[in-house]
Short mmCIF file of all heavy atoms in Angstrom, two decimals:
data_model
loop_
_atom_site.label_atom_id
_atom_site.label_comp_id
_atom_site.label_asym_id
_atom_site.label_seq_id
_atom_site.Cartn_x
_atom_site.Cartn_y
_atom_site.Cartn_z
N GLN Y 174 -100.79 -94.29 -145.30
CA GLN Y 174 -101.09 -93.27 -146.36
C GLN Y 174 -99.95 -93.15 -147.32
O GLN Y 174 -100.18 -92.88 -148.53
CB GLN Y 174 -101.42 -91.95 -145.67
CG GLN Y 174 -102.71 -92.08 -144.91
CD GLN Y 174 -103.36 -90.75 -144.55
OE1 GLN Y 174 -103.03 -89.69 -145.08
NE2 GLN Y 174 -104.20 -90.76 -143.55
N GLY Y 175 -98.69 -93.37 -146.90
CA GLY Y 175 -97.55 -93.29 -147.81
C GLY Y 175 -97.67 -94.46 -148.80
O GLY Y 175 -97.50 -94.27 -150.05
N ALA Y 176 -98.02 -95.67 -148.31
CA ALA Y 176 -98.19 -96.79 -149.19
C ALA Y 176 -99.29 -96.58 -150.18
O ALA Y 176 -99.14 -96.87 -151.39
CB ALA Y 176 -98.42 -98.09 -148.37
N ARG Y 177 -100.44 -96.05 -149.74
CA ARG Y 177 -101.56 -95.82 -150.64
C ARG Y 177 -101.23 -94.79 -151.70
O ARG Y 177 -101.63 -94.89 -152.84
CB ARG Y 177 -102.81 -95.32 -149.83
CG ARG Y 177 -103.44 -96.44 -149.06
CD ARG Y 177 -104.80 -96.04 -148.56
NE ARG Y 177 -105.28 -97.14 -147.72
CZ ARG Y 177 -105.46 -97.15 -146.42
NH1 ARG Y 177 -105.16 -96.02 -145.75
NH2 ARG Y 177 -105.91 -98.19 -145.77
N ALA Y 178 -100.45 -93.74 -151.28
CA ALA Y 178 -100.12 -92.69 -152.21
C ALA Y 178 -99.10 -93.22 -153.26
O ALA Y 178 -99.13 -92.76 -154.36
CB ALA Y 178 -99.54 -91.49 -151.47
N ALA Y 179 -98.26 -94.17 -152.86
CA ALA Y 179 -97.21 -94.65 -153.72
C ALA Y 179 -97.66 -95.64 -154.80
O ALA Y 179 -97.22 -95.67 -155.92
CB ALA Y 179 -96.05 -95.23 -152.92
N THR Y 180 -98.58 -96.54 -154.37
CA THR Y 180 -98.98 -97.67 -155.28
C THR Y 180 -100.30 -98.24 -154.82
O THR Y 180 -100.67 -98.26 -153.71
CB THR Y 180 -97.88 -98.84 -155.21
OG1 THR Y 180 -98.37 -99.89 -155.99
CG2 THR Y 180 -97.59 -99.33 -153.81
N ASP Y 181 -101.06 -98.76 -155.86
CA ASP Y 181 -102.26 -99.47 -155.56
C ASP Y 181 -101.95 -100.89 -155.02
O ASP Y 181 -102.80 -101.56 -154.49
CB ASP Y 181 -103.09 -99.69 -156.82
CG ASP Y 181 -103.73 -98.37 -157.29
OD1 ASP Y 181 -103.86 -97.46 -156.46
OD2 ASP Y 181 -104.09 -98.25 -158.47
N LYS Y 182 -100.66 -101.30 -155.24
CA LYS Y 182 -100.31 -102.68 -154.86
C LYS Y 182 -99.79 -102.71 -153.48
O LYS Y 182 -98.60 -102.95 -153.22
CB LYS Y 182 -99.23 -103.18 -155.85
CG LYS Y 182 -99.77 -103.22 -157.26
CD LYS Y 182 -98.67 -103.64 -158.21
CE LYS Y 182 -99.22 -103.69 -159.66
NZ LYS Y 182 -98.17 -103.90 -160.64
N HIS Y 183 -100.69 -102.46 -152.50
CA HIS Y 183 -100.32 -102.55 -151.08
C HIS Y 183 -101.21 -103.58 -150.45
O HIS Y 183 -102.39 -103.58 -150.69
CB HIS Y 183 -100.31 -101.24 -150.37
CG HIS Y 183 -101.66 -100.52 -150.53
ND1 HIS Y 183 -101.94 -99.62 -151.50
CD2 HIS Y 183 -102.72 -100.61 -149.77
CE1 HIS Y 183 -103.16 -99.16 -151.37
NE2 HIS Y 183 -103.70 -99.78 -150.30
N VAL Y 184 -100.61 -104.45 -149.64
CA VAL Y 184 -101.43 -105.43 -148.86
C VAL Y 184 -100.96 -105.46 -147.47
O VAL Y 184 -99.87 -104.93 -147.13
CB VAL Y 184 -101.22 -106.88 -149.45
CG1 VAL Y 184 -101.82 -106.99 -150.84
CG2 VAL Y 184 -99.75 -107.29 -149.48
N PHE Y 185 -101.81 -106.04 -146.59
CA PHE Y 185 -101.47 -106.04 -145.18
C PHE Y 185 -101.25 -107.45 -144.69
O PHE Y 185 -101.95 -108.39 -145.16
CB PHE Y 185 -102.67 -105.41 -144.39
CG PHE Y 185 -102.83 -103.95 -144.71
CD1 PHE Y 185 -103.79 -103.56 -145.65
CD2 PHE Y 185 -102.09 -103.00 -144.14
CE1 PHE Y 185 -103.95 -102.25 -146.01
CE2 PHE Y 185 -102.18 -101.65 -144.49
CZ PHE Y 185 -103.14 -101.29 -145.43
N PHE Y 186 -100.31 -107.62 -143.76
CA PHE Y 186 -100.18 -108.97 -143.14
C PHE Y 186 -100.66 -108.87 -141.72
O PHE Y 186 -100.76 -107.75 -141.14
CB PHE Y 186 -98.74 -109.49 -143.24
CG PHE Y 186 -97.69 -108.70 -142.51
CD1 PHE Y 186 -97.29 -108.97 -141.23
CD2 PHE Y 186 -97.01 -107.72 -143.19
CE1 PHE Y 186 -96.27 -108.29 -140.59
CE2 PHE Y 186 -96.02 -106.97 -142.59
CZ PHE Y 186 -95.66 -107.27 -141.27
N ARG Y 187 -101.10 -110.05 -141.17
CA ARG Y 187 -101.61 -110.05 -139.81
C ARG Y 187 -100.56 -109.50 -138.82
O ARG Y 187 -99.38 -109.74 -138.96
CB ARG Y 187 -102.08 -111.50 -139.41
CG ARG Y 187 -103.41 -111.86 -140.08
CD ARG Y 187 -104.09 -112.95 -139.25
NE ARG Y 187 -103.32 -114.18 -139.23
CZ ARG Y 187 -103.42 -115.15 -140.15
NH1 ARG Y 187 -104.30 -115.07 -141.11
NH2 ARG Y 187 -102.65 -116.20 -140.03
N HIS Y 188 -101.11 -108.82 -137.84
CA HIS Y 188 -100.26 -108.11 -136.87
C HIS Y 188 -99.15 -108.97 -136.28
O HIS Y 188 -99.45 -110.03 -135.63
CB HIS Y 188 -101.15 -107.49 -135.80
CG HIS Y 188 -100.40 -106.71 -134.78
ND1 HIS Y 188 -99.44 -105.72 -135.10
CD2 HIS Y 188 -100.37 -106.75 -133.43
CE1 HIS Y 188 -98.95 -105.23 -134.04
NE2 HIS Y 188 -99.46 -105.84 -132.99
N ASN Y 189 -97.93 -108.60 -136.49
CA ASN Y 189 -96.71 -109.26 -135.97
C ASN Y 189 -96.59 -110.71 -136.36
O ASN Y 189 -95.92 -111.49 -135.71
CB ASN Y 189 -96.67 -109.17 -134.40
CG ASN Y 189 -96.26 -107.79 -133.91
OD1 ASN Y 189 -95.72 -106.99 -134.67
ND2 ASN Y 189 -96.50 -107.51 -132.64
N ASP Y 190 -97.22 -111.05 -137.51
CA ASP Y 190 -97.23 -112.48 -137.92
C ASP Y 190 -96.30 -112.67 -139.07
O ASP Y 190 -96.63 -112.39 -140.27
CB ASP Y 190 -98.72 -112.82 -138.29
CG ASP Y 190 -98.88 -114.31 -138.59
OD1 ASP Y 190 -97.87 -114.98 -138.94
OD2 ASP Y 190 -100.02 -114.78 -138.51
N VAL Y 191 -95.07 -113.08 -138.79
CA VAL Y 191 -94.03 -113.24 -139.86
C VAL Y 191 -94.44 -114.24 -140.83
O VAL Y 191 -94.20 -114.08 -142.07
CB VAL Y 191 -92.70 -113.56 -139.24
CG1 VAL Y 191 -91.58 -113.70 -140.29
CG2 VAL Y 191 -92.29 -112.53 -138.16
N ALA Y 192 -95.11 -115.30 -140.41
CA ALA Y 192 -95.49 -116.37 -141.35
C ALA Y 192 -96.51 -115.81 -142.37
O ALA Y 192 -96.41 -116.09 -143.55
CB ALA Y 192 -96.14 -117.54 -140.61
N ASP Y 193 -97.41 -114.95 -141.92
CA ASP Y 193 -98.36 -114.34 -142.88
C ASP Y 193 -97.66 -113.34 -143.80
O ASP Y 193 -97.93 -113.30 -144.97
CB ASP Y 193 -99.45 -113.59 -142.05
CG ASP Y 193 -100.68 -113.30 -142.95
OD1 ASP Y 193 -101.00 -114.18 -143.80
OD2 ASP Y 193 -101.19 -112.17 -142.88
N ALA Y 194 -96.69 -112.58 -143.27
CA ALA Y 194 -95.89 -111.73 -144.13
C ALA Y 194 -95.20 -112.53 -145.24
O ALA Y 194 -95.15 -112.20 -146.42
CB ALA Y 194 -94.83 -110.95 -143.34
N ARG Y 195 -94.68 -113.71 -144.78
CA ARG Y 195 -94.01 -114.59 -145.78
C ARG Y 195 -94.93 -115.04 -146.85
O ARG Y 195 -94.58 -115.07 -148.05
CB ARG Y 195 -93.48 -115.81 -144.95
CG ARG Y 195 -92.47 -116.57 -145.63
CD ARG Y 195 -91.89 -117.70 -144.69
NE ARG Y 195 -90.68 -118.14 -145.35
CZ ARG Y 195 -90.69 -118.85 -146.50
NH1 ARG Y 195 -91.82 -119.24 -146.99
NH2 ARG Y 195 -89.57 -119.23 -147.01
N ARG Y 196 -96.17 -115.42 -146.42
CA ARG Y 196 -97.19 -115.87 -147.46
C ARG Y 196 -97.42 -114.75 -148.46
O ARG Y 196 -97.49 -115.03 -149.68
CB ARG Y 196 -98.47 -116.27 -146.76
CG ARG Y 196 -98.52 -117.68 -146.24
CD ARG Y 196 -99.88 -118.11 -145.80
NE ARG Y 196 -100.35 -117.43 -144.60
CZ ARG Y 196 -100.01 -117.76 -143.33
NH1 ARG Y 196 -99.24 -118.83 -143.15
NH2 ARG Y 196 -100.43 -117.07 -142.35
N LYS Y 197 -97.57 -113.53 -147.93
CA LYS Y 197 -97.86 -112.40 -148.84
C LYS Y 197 -96.70 -112.20 -149.83
O LYS Y 197 -96.91 -111.97 -151.04
CB LYS Y 197 -98.09 -111.12 -148.06
CG LYS Y 197 -99.28 -111.20 -147.03
CD LYS Y 197 -100.61 -111.16 -147.70
CE LYS Y 197 -101.79 -111.08 -146.81
NZ LYS Y 197 -102.09 -112.09 -145.84
N LEU Y 198 -95.47 -112.30 -149.28
CA LEU Y 198 -94.30 -112.07 -150.17
C LEU Y 198 -94.19 -113.19 -151.22
O LEU Y 198 -93.87 -112.93 -152.43
CB LEU Y 198 -93.03 -112.02 -149.32
CG LEU Y 198 -92.88 -110.78 -148.48
CD1 LEU Y 198 -91.70 -110.91 -147.53
CD2 LEU Y 198 -92.62 -109.59 -149.35
N SER Y 199 -94.42 -114.42 -150.76
CA SER Y 199 -94.29 -115.50 -151.71
C SER Y 199 -95.33 -115.38 -152.80
O SER Y 199 -95.01 -115.63 -153.98
CB SER Y 199 -94.54 -116.80 -150.85
OG SER Y 199 -94.73 -117.92 -151.65
N LYS Y 200 -96.53 -114.98 -152.44
CA LYS Y 200 -97.56 -114.81 -153.49
C LYS Y 200 -97.19 -113.70 -154.48
O LYS Y 200 -97.36 -113.87 -155.71
CB LYS Y 200 -98.88 -114.39 -152.75
CG LYS Y 200 -100.15 -114.73 -153.53
CD LYS Y 200 -101.36 -114.58 -152.62
CE LYS Y 200 -102.54 -114.32 -153.47
NZ LYS Y 200 -103.73 -113.92 -152.69
N ILE Y 201 -96.64 -112.62 -154.01
CA ILE Y 201 -96.23 -111.54 -154.92
C ILE Y 201 -95.12 -112.04 -155.79
O ILE Y 201 -95.15 -111.85 -157.06
CB ILE Y 201 -95.75 -110.31 -154.11
CG1 ILE Y 201 -96.94 -109.65 -153.35
CG2 ILE Y 201 -95.11 -109.27 -155.02
CD1 ILE Y 201 -96.53 -108.60 -152.33
N ARG Y 202 -94.07 -112.66 -155.23
CA ARG Y 202 -92.97 -113.09 -156.05
C ARG Y 202 -93.24 -114.18 -157.04
O ARG Y 202 -92.58 -114.31 -158.05
CB ARG Y 202 -91.77 -113.50 -155.14
CG ARG Y 202 -90.98 -112.33 -154.55
CD ARG Y 202 -90.25 -111.58 -155.72
NE ARG Y 202 -89.47 -110.46 -155.26
CZ ARG Y 202 -89.60 -109.20 -155.75
NH1 ARG Y 202 -90.46 -108.95 -156.73
NH2 ARG Y 202 -88.84 -108.24 -155.35
N ALA Y 203 -94.35 -114.97 -156.74
CA ALA Y 203 -94.75 -116.01 -157.69
C ALA Y 203 -95.17 -115.36 -159.04
O ALA Y 203 -95.09 -116.01 -160.12
CB ALA Y 203 -95.88 -116.79 -157.09
N LYS Y 204 -95.63 -114.12 -158.97
CA LYS Y 204 -96.15 -113.44 -160.19
C LYS Y 204 -95.22 -112.37 -160.66
O LYS Y 204 -95.32 -111.93 -161.87
CB LYS Y 204 -97.54 -112.89 -159.88
CG LYS Y 204 -98.60 -113.86 -159.69
CD LYS Y 204 -99.97 -113.14 -159.74
CE LYS Y 204 -101.10 -114.07 -159.29
NZ LYS Y 204 -101.99 -113.48 -158.38
#
Side-chain angles (χ1 to χ4, degrees):
Q174 293 196 18
R177 285 193 184 112
T180 176
D181 288 341
K182 298 176 181 173
H183 54 269
V184 291
F185 297 97
F186 62 93
R187 283 204 297 269
H188 181 49
N189 284 343
D190 186 338
V191 180
D193 196 39
R195 196 172 195 291
R196 273 191 293 277
K197 301 287 186 302
L198 288 172
S199 169
K200 204 168 156 191
I201 292 169
R202 279 295 179 232
K204 290 195 190 132

